[in-house]
Amino acid sequence: MQPDEQWRALKSEIERTVSLTSTTIVLGEREFTWYRVAEPDQLLEVAVTDAHVPAEELDPFWSVTWRAAQGLDRFLGQYLDSALAGKRVLELGCGSGQAGTGAAARGAIVTMTDAVPLAIQVAQLNAWPVAEQMQFLQLKWGSRALSEPRFPIVIGSDLVYDTSLFSQLEACVRQHICDSGRLYLSEPYRHTGDLFSKWIVERGWQTCEHEFDLQDGRVPIRVFECWLR
């Protein structure tokens, strides 16, 4: 099967579950046709009615492109850009894949992960123009680690919205980050982010915070840069 046929087959498979809508966005100075779930309520219905699939595999919140993902992409472009070329990057909770795709567009070799299989499929669809620099794997935080070498850069957007998930997230990062690695997490100045900034230090990490204004009249995006002591 030719690449175009593979792409169409993937899109058709996704659309058997949800309808898609598209727009055009720029990541890493490249233009991408970007697909998202047209009616996220469809996923809520599936999550409520399908008792045979684990809840984390039906989480509908991935289907929204959060501002934190946009902020993380722009942060990476401004502060890391050329340093990403050839670097291995792990994205946790990739959702539709914006931050990881932006990193790949800047030359990184990206492994995208999510607990939701449908999210991984949509991310793969969106990242098709940089597919040669990507792999897509299902990963549940706190479970068995990926059979991959540890990563120098781990990224995630809007992952610290729930304090009950902090421990699972941190355990997953420790499983996958190399000794001198950096973790970058973005979020829009939520109260849970304030709690995370203290909690992660208590877990033995050093941190600094960066602020990135999206110039959209809304609250800036905060990016936590974390590394192990």
Side-chain angles (χ1 to χ4, degrees):
M1 189 181 293
Q2 296 299 313
D4 286 350
E5 295 174 331
Q6 293 174 342
W7 183 89
R8 286 193 293 271
L10 175 61
K11 185 171 182 286
S12 295
E13 183 178 351
I14 294 168
E15 290 179 323
R16 284 197 288 270
T17 303
V18 292
S19 56
L20 295 172
T21 185
S22 67
T23 187
T24 300
I25 66 173
V26 175
L27 300 169
E29 299 183 1
R30 292 183 61 170
E31 198 170 86
F32 290 80
T33 300
W34 202 257
Y35 291 88
R36 62 179 179 83
V37 176
E39 299 179 22
D41 285 351
Q42 285 180 283
L43 294 176
L44 285 172
E45 291 173 7
V46 173
V48 169
T49 59
D50 195 335
H52 301 291
V53 181
E56 65 271 10
E57 295 185 16
L58 291 172
D59 182 353
F61 298 109
W62 67 266
S63 61
V64 178
T65 300
W66 299 99
R67 293 177 66 252
Q70 301 169 28
L72 181 56
D73 168 64
R74 295 187 191 179
F75 168 84
L76 293 175
Q78 180 167 324
Y79 293 100
L80 295 184
D81 197 17
S82 60
L84 288 171
K87 282 284 182 68
R88 294 175 59 253
V89 174
L90 172 65
E91 181 171 16
L92 300 177
C94 68
S96 61
Q98 187 165 323
T101 300
R106 296 181 175 93
I109 309 302
V110 182
T111 297
M112 279 193 185
T113 66
D114 204 291
V116 183
L118 184 61
I120 295 171
Q121 289 181 312
V122 174
Q124 187 175 4
L125 189 74
N126 285 328
W128 201 264
V130 288
E132 71 280 358
Q133 294 165 239
M134 314 285 288
Q135 68 170 333
F136 303 85
L137 300 172
Q138 187 175 4
L139 177 65
K140 179 182 176 182
W141 302 345
S143 64
R144 181 177 299 179
L146 300 173
S147 57
E148 302 286 329
R150 290 174 178 258
F151 295 82
I153 298 175
V154 179
I155 63 174
S157 56
D158 233 330
L159 303 184
V160 296
Y161 62 90
D162 185 345
T163 58
S164 70
L165 298 178
F166 287 178
S167 293
Q168 295 174 35
L169 171 60
E170 195 259 351
C172 185
V173 174
R174 282 183 181 266
Q175 286 177 312
H176 295 98
I177 198 167
C178 67
D179 290 343
S180 58
R182 285 291 195 274
L183 168 66
Y184 298 96
L185 298 175
S186 64
E187 61 90 39
Y189 280 95
R190 291 194 179 96
H191 175 60
T192 50
D194 297 335
L195 296 175
F196 177 81
S197 68
K198 299 175 182 176
W199 183 91
I200 195 72
V201 170
E202 292 170 356
R203 295 290 296 174
W205 294 75
Q206 295 188 49
T207 69
C208 64
E209 296 183 14
H210 307 271
E211 182 175 288
F212 200 93
D213 192 342
L214 293 177
Q215 304 295 319
D216 58 1
R218 301 172 65 184
V219 64
I221 299 301
R222 168 168 52 183
V223 178
F224 295 108
E225 178 180 1
C226 310
W227 63 99
L228 285 165
R229 297 173 180 172

